[in-house]
Amino acid sequence: MSSVAFLLSAGFGVLMLLGVPFAFAIGIVVAVSLLVAGIEPLLMPQSVLAGTQSFSLLAIPFFMLAGELMSAGGLSARLIRVADVFVRHLTGGLGHVTVLAAAIFAAISGSAPATTAAIGAIMIPAMAERGYGKAFATALAVSAGVLAPLIPPSIAFVIWGVIAEQSISRLFSAGVIPGLVMAFGLTLVCWWYAKRNKIPTQKRASLKEIRLALREGVWALLAPVIVLGGIYGGVFTPTEAAVVSCVYALFVGMVIEKQLKFADLSPIIWRSLKITAIVMSIVIFSAGFGILIAQEQLAPKLAAWLSENIQQKWLMLLVLNIAFFLLAAVMDEIAIMVVLGPLLIAIAKSFAIDPIHFGAIIVTNVAIGMAAPPIGYCLFVGMAISGLKLGEVASKIWPFIAIMLVVLMLVTYVPEFSLALQTR
């Protein structure tokens, strides 16, 4: 192993163990590796700048902002009200409301943290009051929030589309069926929990209540129709859809619902910028990381070694899924996609895996990683809302993780499961 390869692997690992933020760890390793390799130092700022030069990446800050605007503007509360009148009478009804509302909100914001925060802030206290354990309610809100990487428009699919140079619209469609099946699986866990704990059901909503909820929630329900309809109707690109969703959320929040004021915009923009900065800093510093990996031929060498030692495609996919799950337990999921992207793509090519199918596998792993202990991003959002400790939430989240893993196996070994809606 060359000194550069050692720095990129062992050096990065040591910095991670020391608790250095992911983006800074990548930047430090790349800078030191350039010096060791005797490469022109100016390559670092050039590669960082090059890492930002993608029109598709503009979707990330705008979808983040859209999620914040919709939550502050009252759209998330309207969505919950609509979901409530349709499913609250079922066993585990309030849990079903959480999942359904999160699925709809995910189809607007594209962001797992935003979905977890928007839905969890309302549903965790409500579920706790109705007899659900607070830890279970938090675990459910976290699990429902991570539907966002799968249900389009998905920020995770945007990032992978840029890395793998694949159609983002086609990647979006690959997440629809897995996302809906995962949502259904989460409701089964809610039904089982409510049945086991004898949680009383609520009264079925009257037709008057349903009409009122639909009338009040029409603007919220129109949001995913406009965003997704515009993308698949060819009216605008996914990046332009992110801007449209921001304008729509701003209009509804300020003019229709009148819950947004100009004074609210500054903190809302600041919150979305902080989350965007974390994601984008990982993406841009990883550009230099990718250049060094390419120069050292690490991706093709490892892909070739794996191809020689593992001939069966099914076994290779199993190994990748296990490795991704273990890495996601200790490493940021976006960082895994960006840093290991060249290697993952090389492996997929060596086994002739359809790139859109492979993208669905990667992003399903990302969704699971955002909920999995100990450092799932949405896990910490849920903990912040409920005030519970990691161990309390982690003990209740494993049934949901099990459902997610079943969906991952379907995505991995039944290509049609994610490719059924593909159009070329």
Side-chain angles (χ1 to χ4, degrees), residues 28-241:
I28 291 169
V29 166
V30 170
V32 174
S33 297
L34 288 174
L35 293 174
V36 170
I39 298 173
E40 171 58 52
L42 284 176
L43 180 63
M44 179 65 173
Q46 289 173 354
S47 64
V48 166
L49 181 62
T52 66
Q53 303 305 299
S54 172
F55 180 68
S56 297
L57 287 177
L58 283 173
I60 296 173
F62 284 112
F63 274 130
M64 292 287 189
L65 179 58
E68 292 286 348
L69 288 170
M70 289 173 185
S71 180
L75 271 74
S76 56
R78 298 294 191 194
L79 290 175
I80 289 171
R81 172 64 177 155
V82 171
D84 181 66
V85 298
F86 283 105
V87 297
R88 72 185 187 194
H89 61 281
L90 303 174
T91 301
L94 214 55
H96 303 330
V97 171
T98 303
V99 175
L100 181 56
I104 300 172
F105 194 86
I108 306 170
S109 71
S111 166
T115 302
T116 302
I119 304 303
I122 299 173
M123 295 308 301
I124 290 174
M127 291 182 70
E129 287 178 7
R130 297 284 177 86
Y132 295 82
K134 198 171 187 180
F136 177 85
T138 305
L140 175 59
V142 170
S143 303
V146 302
L147 293 172
L150 289 170
I151 296 176
S154 156
I155 290 174
F157 272 129
V158 170
I159 293 173
W160 183 254
V162 172
I163 295 168
E165 298 180 347
Q166 295 296 319
S167 165
I168 292 173
S169 294
R170 291 188 64 208
L171 286 168
F172 279 174
S173 65
V176 174
I177 294 176
L180 294 178
V181 171
M182 188 179 289
F184 177 72
L186 298 182
T187 63
L188 291 180
V189 177
C190 295
W191 176 87
W192 169 80
Y193 180 90
K195 197 84 171 175
R196 183 184 179 190
N197 291 277
K198 297 182 172 58
I199 295 175
T201 57
Q202 295 177 261
K203 183 181 177 182
R204 183 189 292 269
S206 65
L207 287 176
K208 181 180 179 181
E209 286 180 290
I210 293 173
R211 284 196 298 268
L212 179 61
L214 288 174
R215 185 166 68 247
E216 292 178 344
V218 65
W219 290 98
L221 294 172
L222 275 175
V225 175
I226 293 171
V227 172
L228 298 179
I231 292 172
Y232 291 110
V235 179
F236 37 70
T237 67
T239 302
E240 292 164 344

Side-chain angles (χ1 to χ4, degrees), residues 91-388:
T91 301
L94 214 55
H96 303 330
V97 171
T98 303
V99 175
L100 181 56
I104 300 172
F105 194 86
I108 306 170
S109 71
S111 166
T115 302
T116 302
I119 304 303
I122 299 173
M123 295 308 301
I124 290 174
M127 291 182 70
E129 287 178 7
R130 297 284 177 86
Y132 295 82
K134 198 171 187 180
F136 177 85
T138 305
L140 175 59
V142 170
S143 303
V146 302
L147 293 172
L150 289 170
I151 296 176
S154 156
I155 290 174
F157 272 129
V158 170
I159 293 173
W160 183 254
V162 172
I163 295 168
E165 298 180 347
Q166 295 296 319
S167 165
I168 292 173
S169 294
R170 291 188 64 208
L171 286 168
F172 279 174
S173 65
V176 174
I177 294 176
L180 294 178
V181 171
M182 188 179 289
F184 177 72
L186 298 182
T187 63
L188 291 180
V189 177
C190 295
W191 176 87
W192 169 80
Y193 180 90
K195 197 84 171 175
R196 183 184 179 190
N197 291 277
K198 297 182 172 58
I199 295 175
T201 57
Q202 295 177 261
K203 183 181 177 182
R204 183 189 292 269
S206 65
L207 287 176
K208 181 180 179 181
E209 286 180 290
I210 293 173
R211 284 196 298 268
L212 179 61
L214 288 174
R215 185 166 68 247
E216 292 178 344
V218 65
W219 290 98
L221 294 172
L222 275 175
V225 175
I226 293 171
V227 172
L228 298 179
I231 292 172
Y232 291 110
V235 179
F236 37 70
T237 67
T239 302
E240 292 164 344
V243 179
V244 169
S245 64
C246 282
V247 173
Y248 183 85
L250 194 62
F251 172 76
V252 173
M254 299 188 81
V255 178
I256 306 298
E257 300 291 348
K258 297 182 180 178
Q259 292 191 29
L260 270 181
K261 309 292 185 217
F262 279 107
D264 300 326
L265 296 182
S266 180
I268 288 171
I269 293 172
W270 179 243
R271 285 197 301 270
S272 64
L273 282 176
K274 284 195 292 185
I275 300 174
T276 300
I278 294 170
V279 175
M280 291 302 297
S281 60
I282 293 171
V283 172
I284 62 176
F285 280 119
S286 295
F289 199 96
I291 290 171
L292 289 167
I293 287 178
Q295 177 181 299
E296 293 292 311
Q297 294 290 297
L298 295 180
K301 284 178 183 176
L302 184 53
W305 183 87
L306 289 170
S307 299
E308 290 172 6
N309 291 275
I310 303 178
Q311 279 77 40
Q312 299 90 350
K313 183 192 291 188
W314 73 267
L315 183 57
M316 171 56 67
L317 290 171
L318 180 62
V319 169
L320 282 178
N321 281 331
I322 292 172
F324 210 112
F325 184 80
L326 293 175
L327 282 172
V330 295
M331 185 176 175
D332 181 81
E333 295 73 26
I334 302 299
I336 297 173
M337 283 203 299
V338 176
V339 173
L340 299 183
L343 168 62
L344 296 170
I345 293 165
I347 292 172
K349 287 181 178 177
S350 67
F351 282 86
I353 302 172
D354 182 280
I356 301 299
H357 175 217
F358 192 67
I361 295 172
I362 296 299
V363 172
T364 304
N365 271 295
V366 166
I368 297 171
M370 287 187 172
I375 67 162
Y377 195 173
C378 291
L379 199 60
F380 284 96
V381 173
M383 288 160 53
I385 295 169
S386 64
L388 298 178

